[in-house]
Amino acid sequence: MAFLFTSEAVSEGHPDKISDQISDAILDEFLRRDREAKVACETLCTTGLVVVAGEVRSDAYVDVQEVARRVINRIGYTKSEYMFDGNSCGVLSAIHEQSPDINQGVVQEEESAQGAGDQGIMFGYACDETREFMPATLILAQVIMKELAVIRREHNEMPYLRPDAKSQVTIEYDESGCPVRVHTIVVSTQHDEFVRAGGNVSEKEAERQMCKRIEDDVRSILIPRVKARLQRANDKLADLIGDDYLLYVNPTGKFVIGGPHGDTGVTGRKVIVDTYGGRGAHGGGAFSGKDSSKVDRSAAYAARHIAKNMVAAGIADQVLVQLSYAIGIAYPLSIFVDTYGTAHVRESDSEIARRIEGLFDLSPAAIVERFGLKNPIFEATASYGHFGNRPYKKEVTVYENGCPTTREVEFFSWEKLDEVDRLRREFNL
């Protein structure tokens, strides 16, 4: 039976995403100065105020105010009329030392014996719908947000745009589960009050004119640019966007009051946006602000790496991997695999899981080493998703014995397809 499925995405200026980016930027700054730093950093953003709290174990010093303001200004909150401005908002820090009760289970004399930073369940997912091995609904929703941000920074075709925005994409799937067409697109974007009431223009008429302009621009500027962006990349997703989709733009009316002034932001509230858009499953643990000793983050990256390489190897068209851990224990308590009946091998899902356990070292120390998770790479993950990105290398500044130096590090290394050949050999594909 054909069906509809929907995913959403948010812009980097969404209040919760501002919080995620500040938390990860602070994490990165600690890791620049201390690769062994243990960080659990939470951020709250509201009208004119940022509050940073959490637990840190490190001898390094980080200027929390400077980091927070840099992130806020980079995102685009640079005007006092937004009621949240990187240059003038208050920044309060309530960071304190990590509990020694937690630390004793995480830090061991032998690094390979490092235990998980907490108990919990983590999921990794992949499917063959897109070249990113991600759900088409989420990729399209993210591309809409990325292109809207490009347009906002150009300040040309849609000069009224403000940083806060959300998108939602519904795709129609056929009986075999293949995406057929985009059914509905929703775009909500914060904007200037570029038509004001006065003279013969009532409040209602001013709002109507603004809403019509924005809807027309989304239809005639944003969506064509999204399609063109996909076509330049030879992405088949462009073909899903026809002329028959339903479009809803700022459905409640004008959206002038937004960002942290319109809705308080908190780290870790966009876990579905961060992962698979509602496909697969989620263990409940957020990522941002946590160093890699927290398996909520590192093991979720490892599970995604396994699932993606399994689909790319042709083991199945769709794979979900679950890992579970106990605090202070160095290896997962369980490994679960679900191929949703799409496997191309003779083994059952439980047999596949046993093979995976033998192929991958899933201790926290091995995961951290494999993906280079003690490097300052996390701010890049805190907007537009932690998965589906292309890995890349870049030089970053780090401090050794207090002296700045540059080091080339890899970002999104868990997205590499470096286990495909080994998996094919193991499963005789």
Side-chain angles (χ1 to χ4, degrees):
M1 180 181 292
F3 61 93
L4 301 176
F5 190 81
T6 303
S7 295
E8 73 161 346
V10 299
S11 72
E12 66 213 62
H14 185 282
D16 295 328
K17 278 289 131 196
I18 299 170
S19 296
D20 285 343
Q21 289 167 88
I22 292 172
S23 292
D24 269 340
I26 291 170
L27 167 62
D28 279 354
E29 291 306 313
F30 273 106
L31 293 175
R32 283 187 211 284
R33 294 160 173 80
D34 178 6
R35 286 171 55 83
E36 304 303 324
K38 300 294 181 285
V39 180
C41 179
E42 313 292 340
T43 303
L44 177 146
C45 297
T46 188
T47 303
L49 179 65
V50 173
V51 180
V52 180
E55 298 77 47
V56 172
R57 187 178 184 89
S58 175
D59 293 329
Y61 169 76
V62 169
D63 188 337
V64 171
Q65 282 215 16
E66 188 279 329
V67 174
R69 295 187 194 283
R70 172 181 61 77
V71 171
I72 295 164
N73 285 328
R74 173 184 59 75
I75 292 168
Y77 285 99
T78 56
K79 299 179 181 179
S80 59
E81 63 195 88
Y82 296 165
M83 304 298 287
F84 186 77
D85 173 7
N87 294 319
S88 62
C89 67
V91 180
L92 303 180
S93 175
I95 293 175
H96 58 87
E97 188 174 5
Q98 183 188 57
S99 162
D101 294 347
I102 294 175
N103 185 260
Q104 68 181 346
V106 176
V107 177
Q108 304 288 343
E109 289 187 15
E110 291 293 328
E111 189 172 3
S112 61
Q114 173 189 323
D118 201 352
Q119 72 175 52
I121 56 176
M122 300 85 207
F123 289 93
Y125 175 80
C127 61
D128 63 357
E129 284 182 18
T130 63
R131 62 183 185 173
E132 296 89 354
F133 297 95
M134 292 283 285
T137 48
L138 180 59
I139 293 297
L140 281 175
Q142 288 174 344
V143 172
I144 289 171
M145 287 290 90
K146 290 177 182 178
E147 192 61 30
L148 190 68
V150 172
I151 294 171
R152 172 170 61 86
R153 287 190 164 90
E154 291 173 349
H155 202 71
N156 186 12
E157 293 182 287
M158 301 171 70
Y160 48 78
L161 292 174
R162 291 184 177 184
D164 191 2
K166 299 177 77 172
S167 64
Q168 189 169 286
V169 173
T170 301
I171 288 180
E172 179 184 333
Y173 289 77
D174 64 18
E175 290 80 0
S176 62
C178 294
V180 175
R181 69 182 183 93
V182 170
H183 180 277
T184 304
I185 295 173
V186 181
V187 176
S188 295
T189 180
Q190 186 189 14
H191 58 88
D192 293 338
E193 193 154 12
F194 57 90
V195 179
R196 295 183 180 274
N200 296 324
V201 180
S202 65
E203 289 279 355
K204 188 173 182 180
E205 175 60 19
E207 180 171 339
R208 188 196 68 78
Q209 289 182 26
M210 285 191 291
C211 291
K212 185 178 188 308
R213 164 80 185 276
I214 298 169
E215 180 174 350
D216 289 346
D217 287 352
V218 167
R219 190 183 297 277
S220 63
I221 298 172
L222 174 61
I223 302 304
R225 285 184 52 150
V226 166
K227 289 188 68 172
R229 179 177 179 144
L230 294 168
Q231 288 165 345
R232 285 194 302 272
N234 295 315
D235 196 322
K236 64 182 182 180
L237 290 179
D239 298 333
L240 298 180
I241 307 174
D243 297 324
D244 57 345
Y245 62 87
L246 299 175
L247 178 65
Y248 296 95
V249 178
N250 288 4
T252 61
K254 70 176 183 178
F255 183 9
V256 174
I257 300 172
H261 180 48
D263 185 13
T264 297
V266 180
T267 300
R269 284 206 303 206
K270 286 292 173 285
V271 294
I272 299 304
V273 168
D274 282 343
T275 53
Y276 308 105
R279 293 281 287 275
H282 197 289
F287 301 153
S288 289
K290 298 177 182 177
D291 75 88
S292 55
S293 69
K294 283 72 173 174
V295 283
D296 276 342
R297 181 169 220 158
S298 53
Y301 290 173
R304 160 64 178 174
H305 179 249
I306 294 169
K308 182 178 181 179
N309 277 267
M310 288 176 67
V311 173
I315 294 171
D317 299 335
Q318 191 178 180
V319 172
L320 180 74
V321 175
Q322 185 208 52
L323 307 175
S324 71
Y325 290 83
I327 188 168
I329 305 300
Y331 287 92
L333 307 182
S334 65
I335 300 174
F336 168 81
V337 171
D338 188 354
T339 63
Y340 302 92
T342 68
H344 301 294
V345 295
R346 292 182 178 181
E347 289 91 338
S348 66
D349 287 353
S350 59
E351 290 169 333
I352 293 172
R354 280 195 292 273
R355 291 272 197 100
I356 294 302
E357 185 175 13
L359 287 169
F360 294 91
D361 185 345
L362 293 169
S363 63
I367 293 170
V368 169
E369 176 67 25
R370 184 184 314 140
F371 301 127
L373 300 182
K374 290 185 179 180
N375 291 312
I377 59 173
F378 296 107
E379 186 179 350
T381 69
S383 55
Y384 308 117
H386 292 246
F387 307 122
N389 304 277
R390 291 186 180 182
Y392 63 91
K393 293 182 178 180
K394 178 182 173 182
E395 285 194 342
V396 300
T397 299
V398 297
Y399 293 83
E400 297 178 356
N401 299 319
C403 298
T405 185
T406 57
R407 177 192 300 154
E408 185 179 69
V409 301
E410 190 165 29
F411 291 71
F412 298 101
S413 54
W414 50 91
E415 290 293 313
K416 292 195 294 188
L417 294 174
D418 54 354
E419 296 288 351
V420 171
D421 291 342
R422 187 161 72 113
L423 287 167
R424 284 175 176 161
R425 289 194 301 270
E426 178 71 20
F427 288 90
N428 298 315
L429 291 170

